[in-house]
PDB file of all heavy atoms in Angstrom:
ATOM      1  N   ASP D 219     277.354 241.686  64.724  1.00 98.00           N
ATOM      2  CA  ASP D 219     276.576 242.625  63.859  1.00 98.00           C
ATOM      3  C   ASP D 219     275.511 243.346  64.686  1.00 98.00           C
ATOM      4  O   ASP D 219     274.321 243.105  64.526  1.00 98.00           O
ATOM      5  CB  ASP D 219     275.985 241.813  62.698  1.00 98.00           C
ATOM      6  CG  ASP D 219     275.258 242.705  61.693  1.00 98.00           C
ATOM      7  OD1 ASP D 219     275.586 243.929  61.668  1.00 98.00           O
ATOM      8  OD2 ASP D 219     274.428 242.153  60.953  1.00 98.00           O
ATOM      9  N   ALA D 220     275.963 244.258  65.556  1.00 98.00           N
ATOM     10  CA  ALA D 220     275.050 245.026  66.351  1.00 98.00           C
ATOM     11  C   ALA D 220     275.660 246.364  66.637  1.00 98.00           C
ATOM     12  O   ALA D 220     276.892 246.477  66.748  1.00 98.00           O
ATOM     13  CB  ALA D 220     274.741 244.318  67.667  1.00 98.00           C
ATOM     14  N   TRP D 221     274.856 247.375  66.814  1.00 98.00           N
ATOM     15  CA  TRP D 221     275.345 248.674  67.190  1.00 98.00           C
ATOM     16  C   TRP D 221     276.101 248.615  68.519  1.00 98.00           C
ATOM     17  O   TRP D 221     277.203 249.196  68.634  1.00 98.00           O
ATOM     18  CB  TRP D 221     274.095 249.608  67.312  1.00 98.00           C
ATOM     19  CG  TRP D 221     274.328 250.923  68.015  1.00 98.00           C
ATOM     20  CD1 TRP D 221     273.965 251.260  69.285  1.00 98.00           C
ATOM     21  CD2 TRP D 221     274.978 252.068  67.466  1.00 98.00           C
ATOM     22  NE1 TRP D 221     274.333 252.532  69.554  1.00 98.00           N
ATOM     23  CE2 TRP D 221     274.921 253.067  68.452  1.00 98.00           C
ATOM     24  CE3 TRP D 221     275.557 252.352  66.261  1.00 98.00           C
ATOM     25  CZ2 TRP D 221     275.481 254.337  68.277  1.00 98.00           C
ATOM     26  CZ3 TRP D 221     276.085 253.634  66.041  1.00 98.00           C
ATOM     27  CH2 TRP D 221     276.031 254.593  67.041  1.00 98.00           C
ATOM     28  N   GLU D 222     275.576 247.866  69.479  1.00 98.00           N
ATOM     29  CA  GLU D 222     276.142 247.924  70.828  1.00 98.00           C
ATOM     30  C   GLU D 222     275.777 246.615  71.501  1.00 98.00           C
ATOM     31  O   GLU D 222     274.760 246.007  71.203  1.00 98.00           O
ATOM     32  CB  GLU D 222     275.477 249.076  71.610  1.00 98.00           C
ATOM     33  CG  GLU D 222     275.981 249.351  72.942  1.00 98.00           C
ATOM     34  CD  GLU D 222     275.427 250.721  73.455  1.00 98.00           C
ATOM     35  OE1 GLU D 222     274.275 251.068  73.097  1.00 98.00           O
ATOM     36  OE2 GLU D 222     276.146 251.355  74.168  1.00 98.00           O
ATOM     37  N   GLY D 223     276.579 246.202  72.444  1.00 98.00           N
ATOM     38  CA  GLY D 223     276.221 245.003  73.244  1.00 98.00           C
ATOM     39  C   GLY D 223     277.357 243.980  73.298  1.00 98.00           C
ATOM     40  O   GLY D 223     278.443 244.211  72.838  1.00 98.00           O
ATOM     41  N   ARG D 224     276.990 242.843  73.882  1.00 97.00           N
ATOM     42  CA  ARG D 224     277.967 241.796  74.084  1.00 97.00           C
ATOM     43  C   ARG D 224     277.244 240.450  73.857  1.00 97.00           C
ATOM     44  O   ARG D 224     276.118 240.262  74.252  1.00 97.00           O
ATOM     45  CB  ARG D 224     278.444 241.888  75.542  1.00 97.00           C
ATOM     46  CG  ARG D 224     279.494 240.871  75.949  1.00 97.00           C
ATOM     47  CD  ARG D 224     279.827 241.105  77.438  1.00 97.00           C
ATOM     48  NE  ARG D 224     280.731 242.276  77.547  1.00 97.00           N
ATOM     49  CZ  ARG D 224     282.060 242.233  77.474  1.00 97.00           C
ATOM     50  NH1 ARG D 224     282.678 241.107  77.243  1.00 97.00           N
ATOM     51  NH2 ARG D 224     282.796 243.324  77.673  1.00 97.00           N
ATOM     52  N   LYS D 225     277.955 239.560  73.141  1.00 95.00           N
ATOM     53  CA  LYS D 225     277.375 238.247  72.885  1.00 95.00           C
ATOM     54  C   LYS D 225     278.535 237.281  73.034  1.00 95.00           C
ATOM     55  O   LYS D 225     279.504 237.346  72.274  1.00 95.00           O
ATOM     56  CB  LYS D 225     276.828 238.188  71.469  1.00 95.00           C
ATOM     57  CG  LYS D 225     275.932 236.996  71.198  1.00 95.00           C
ATOM     58  CD  LYS D 225     275.286 237.113  69.808  1.00 95.00           C
ATOM     59  CE  LYS D 225     276.221 236.726  68.705  1.00 95.00           C
ATOM     60  NZ  LYS D 225     275.646 236.778  67.386  1.00 95.00           N
ATOM     61  N   ASP D 226     278.466 236.369  74.032  1.00 92.00           N
ATOM     62  CA  ASP D 226     279.646 235.564  74.361  1.00 92.00           C
ATOM     63  C   ASP D 226     280.838 236.457  74.506  1.00 92.00           C
ATOM     64  O   ASP D 226     280.796 237.374  75.282  1.00 92.00           O
ATOM     65  CB  ASP D 226     279.856 234.455  73.291  1.00 92.00           C
ATOM     66  CG  ASP D 226     278.642 233.533  73.200  1.00 92.00           C
ATOM     67  OD1 ASP D 226     278.027 233.296  74.287  1.00 92.00           O
ATOM     68  OD2 ASP D 226     278.328 233.092  72.096  1.00 92.00           O
ATOM     69  N   TYR D 227     281.871 236.280  73.743  1.00 89.00           N
ATOM     70  CA  TYR D 227     283.038 237.142  73.877  1.00 89.00           C
ATOM     71  C   TYR D 227     283.089 238.157  72.686  1.00 89.00           C
ATOM     72  O   TYR D 227     284.117 238.793  72.483  1.00 89.00           O
ATOM     73  CB  TYR D 227     284.329 236.351  73.943  1.00 89.00           C
ATOM     74  CG  TYR D 227     284.783 235.710  72.665  1.00 89.00           C
ATOM     75  CD1 TYR D 227     285.934 236.199  72.036  1.00 89.00           C
ATOM     76  CD2 TYR D 227     284.105 234.648  72.132  1.00 89.00           C
ATOM     77  CE1 TYR D 227     286.349 235.605  70.878  1.00 89.00           C
ATOM     78  CE2 TYR D 227     284.492 234.086  70.952  1.00 89.00           C
ATOM     79  CZ  TYR D 227     285.652 234.544  70.323  1.00 89.00           C
ATOM     80  OH  TYR D 227     286.086 233.989  69.153  1.00 89.00           O
ATOM     81  N   SER D 228     281.984 238.325  71.970  1.00 98.00           N
ATOM     82  CA  SER D 228     281.921 239.276  70.908  1.00 98.00           C
ATOM     83  C   SER D 228     281.298 240.592  71.342  1.00 98.00           C
ATOM     84  O   SER D 228     280.439 240.590  72.290  1.00 98.00           O
ATOM     85  CB  SER D 228     281.138 238.745  69.722  1.00 98.00           C
ATOM     86  OG  SER D 228     281.639 237.545  69.266  1.00 98.00           O
ATOM     87  N   LEU D 229     281.709 241.694  70.683  1.00 98.00           N
ATOM     88  CA  LEU D 229     281.187 243.015  71.115  1.00 98.00           C
ATOM     89  C   LEU D 229     280.518 243.712  69.942  1.00 98.00           C
ATOM     90  O   LEU D 229     280.918 243.493  68.788  1.00 98.00           O
ATOM     91  CB  LEU D 229     282.382 243.901  71.560  1.00 98.00           C
ATOM     92  CG  LEU D 229     283.125 243.424  72.812  1.00 98.00           C
ATOM     93  CD1 LEU D 229     284.376 244.284  73.055  1.00 98.00           C
ATOM     94  CD2 LEU D 229     282.191 243.462  74.033  1.00 98.00           C
ATOM     95  N   GLY D 230     279.583 244.562  70.296  1.00 98.00           N
ATOM     96  CA  GLY D 230     278.932 245.434  69.241  1.00 98.00           C
ATOM     97  C   GLY D 230     279.933 246.476  68.739  1.00 98.00           C
ATOM     98  O   GLY D 230     281.009 246.685  69.307  1.00 98.00           O
ATOM     99  N   MET D 231     279.523 247.187  67.679  1.00 98.00           N
ATOM    100  CA  MET D 231     280.367 248.080  66.958  1.00 98.00           C
ATOM    101  C   MET D 231     280.933 249.172  67.902  1.00 98.00           C
ATOM    102  O   MET D 231     282.096 249.459  67.905  1.00 98.00           O
ATOM    103  CB  MET D 231     279.619 248.639  65.764  1.00 98.00           C
ATOM    104  CG  MET D 231     280.502 249.425  64.829  1.00 98.00           C
ATOM    105  SD  MET D 231     280.668 251.128  65.179  1.00 98.00           S
ATOM    106  CE  MET D 231     279.102 251.815  64.721  1.00 98.00           C
ATOM    107  N   VAL D 232     280.022 249.884  68.644  1.00 98.00           N
ATOM    108  CA  VAL D 232     280.582 251.009  69.469  1.00 98.00           C
ATOM    109  C   VAL D 232     281.416 250.568  70.614  1.00 98.00           C
ATOM    110  O   VAL D 232     282.331 251.219  71.072  1.00 98.00           O
ATOM    111  CB  VAL D 232     279.429 251.966  69.944  1.00 98.00           C
ATOM    112  CG1 VAL D 232     278.809 252.660  68.794  1.00 98.00           C
ATOM    113  CG2 VAL D 232     278.416 251.258  70.796  1.00 98.00           C
ATOM    114  N   ASN D 233     281.122 249.309  71.095  1.00 98.00           N
ATOM    115  CA  ASN D 233     281.984 248.768  72.164  1.00 98.00           C
ATOM    116  C   ASN D 233     283.393 248.526  71.621  1.00 98.00           C
ATOM    117  O   ASN D 233     284.381 248.759  72.336  1.00 98.00           O
ATOM    118  CB  ASN D 233     281.434 247.432  72.733  1.00 98.00           C
ATOM    119  CG  ASN D 233     279.950 247.624  73.111  1.00 98.00           C
ATOM    120  OD1 ASN D 233     279.061 247.545  72.300  1.00 98.00           O
ATOM    121  ND2 ASN D 233     279.741 247.895  74.382  1.00 98.00           N
ATOM    122  N   ILE D 234     283.494 248.011  70.413  1.00 98.00           N
ATOM    123  CA  ILE D 234     284.808 247.810  69.800  1.00 98.00           C
ATOM    124  C   ILE D 234     285.479 249.155  69.592  1.00 98.00           C
ATOM    125  O   ILE D 234     286.658 249.318  69.902  1.00 98.00           O
ATOM    126  CB  ILE D 234     284.649 247.068  68.416  1.00 98.00           C
ATOM    127  CG1 ILE D 234     284.059 245.678  68.670  1.00 98.00           C
ATOM    128  CG2 ILE D 234     286.000 247.069  67.711  1.00 98.00           C
ATOM    129  CD1 ILE D 234     285.014 244.531  68.614  1.00 98.00           C
ATOM    130  N   LEU D 235     284.689 250.122  69.098  1.00 98.00           N
ATOM    131  CA  LEU D 235     285.272 251.471  68.891  1.00 98.00           C
ATOM    132  C   LEU D 235     285.887 252.018  70.147  1.00 98.00           C
ATOM    133  O   LEU D 235     286.992 252.570  70.096  1.00 98.00           O
ATOM    134  CB  LEU D 235     284.132 252.377  68.379  1.00 98.00           C
ATOM    135  CG  LEU D 235     284.535 253.821  68.126  1.00 98.00           C
ATOM    136  CD1 LEU D 235     285.458 253.944  66.906  1.00 98.00           C
ATOM    137  CD2 LEU D 235     283.316 254.701  68.002  1.00 98.00           C
ATOM    138  N   ASP D 236     285.173 251.923  71.264  1.00 98.00           N
ATOM    139  CA  ASP D 236     285.671 252.473  72.540  1.00 98.00           C
ATOM    140  C   ASP D 236     287.046 251.903  72.913  1.00 98.00           C
ATOM    141  O   ASP D 236     287.819 252.564  73.605  1.00 98.00           O
ATOM    142  CB  ASP D 236     284.695 252.225  73.644  1.00 98.00           C
ATOM    143  CG  ASP D 236     283.473 253.107  73.530  1.00 98.00           C
ATOM    144  OD1 ASP D 236     283.540 254.142  72.826  1.00 98.00           O
ATOM    145  OD2 ASP D 236     282.409 252.759  74.107  1.00 98.00           O
ATOM    146  N   LEU D 237     287.291 250.679  72.488  1.00 98.00           N
ATOM    147  CA  LEU D 237     288.565 250.056  72.877  1.00 98.00           C
ATOM    148  C   LEU D 237     289.756 250.492  71.946  1.00 98.00           C
ATOM    149  O   LEU D 237     290.861 250.087  72.132  1.00 98.00           O
ATOM    150  CB  LEU D 237     288.408 248.515  72.761  1.00 98.00           C
ATOM    151  CG  LEU D 237     287.426 247.958  73.842  1.00 98.00           C
ATOM    152  CD1 LEU D 237     287.160 246.465  73.532  1.00 98.00           C
ATOM    153  CD2 LEU D 237     287.970 248.127  75.225  1.00 98.00           C
ATOM    154  N   GLN D 238     289.444 251.326  70.927  1.00 98.00           N
ATOM    155  CA  GLN D 238     290.484 251.764  70.017  1.00 98.00           C
ATOM    156  C   GLN D 238     291.089 253.162  70.420  1.00 98.00           C
ATOM    157  O   GLN D 238     292.103 253.540  69.843  1.00 98.00           O
ATOM    158  CB  GLN D 238     289.957 251.900  68.561  1.00 98.00           C
ATOM    159  CG  GLN D 238     289.155 250.709  68.077  1.00 98.00           C
ATOM    160  CD  GLN D 238     289.901 249.419  68.227  1.00 98.00           C
ATOM    161  OE1 GLN D 238     291.098 249.323  67.959  1.00 98.00           O
ATOM    162  NE2 GLN D 238     289.182 248.364  68.614  1.00 98.00           N
ATOM    163  N   VAL D 239     290.388 253.801  71.360  1.00 97.00           N
ATOM    164  CA  VAL D 239     290.745 255.218  71.601  1.00 97.00           C
ATOM    165  C   VAL D 239     292.249 255.444  71.904  1.00 97.00           C
ATOM    166  O   VAL D 239     292.845 256.380  71.371  1.00 97.00           O
ATOM    167  CB  VAL D 239     289.891 255.759  72.797  1.00 97.00           C
ATOM    168  CG1 VAL D 239     290.303 257.189  73.159  1.00 97.00           C
ATOM    169  CG2 VAL D 239     288.428 255.701  72.442  1.00 97.00           C
ATOM    170  N   GLU D 240     292.864 254.594  72.653  1.00 95.00           N
ATOM    171  CA  GLU D 240     294.244 254.776  73.046  1.00 95.00           C
ATOM    172  C   GLU D 240     295.260 254.154  72.077  1.00 95.00           C
ATOM    173  O   GLU D 240     296.459 254.138  72.304  1.00 95.00           O
ATOM    174  CB  GLU D 240     294.516 254.278  74.457  1.00 95.00           C
ATOM    175  CG  GLU D 240     293.644 254.903  75.552  1.00 95.00           C
ATOM    176  CD  GLU D 240     293.821 256.390  75.586  1.00 95.00           C
ATOM    177  OE1 GLU D 240     294.970 256.890  75.308  1.00 95.00           O
ATOM    178  OE2 GLU D 240     292.854 257.089  75.925  1.00 95.00           O
TER     179      GLU D 240
END
Side-chain angles (χ1 to χ4, degrees):
D219 185 21
W221 165 257
E222 185 168 33
R224 182 179 285 272
K225 193 173 79 178
D226 298 326
Y227 74 111
S228 301
L229 296 173
M231 190 272 285
V232 294
N233 306 84
I234 297 259
L235 177 71
D236 286 340
L237 296 170
Q238 312 307 318
V239 174
E240 301 301 329

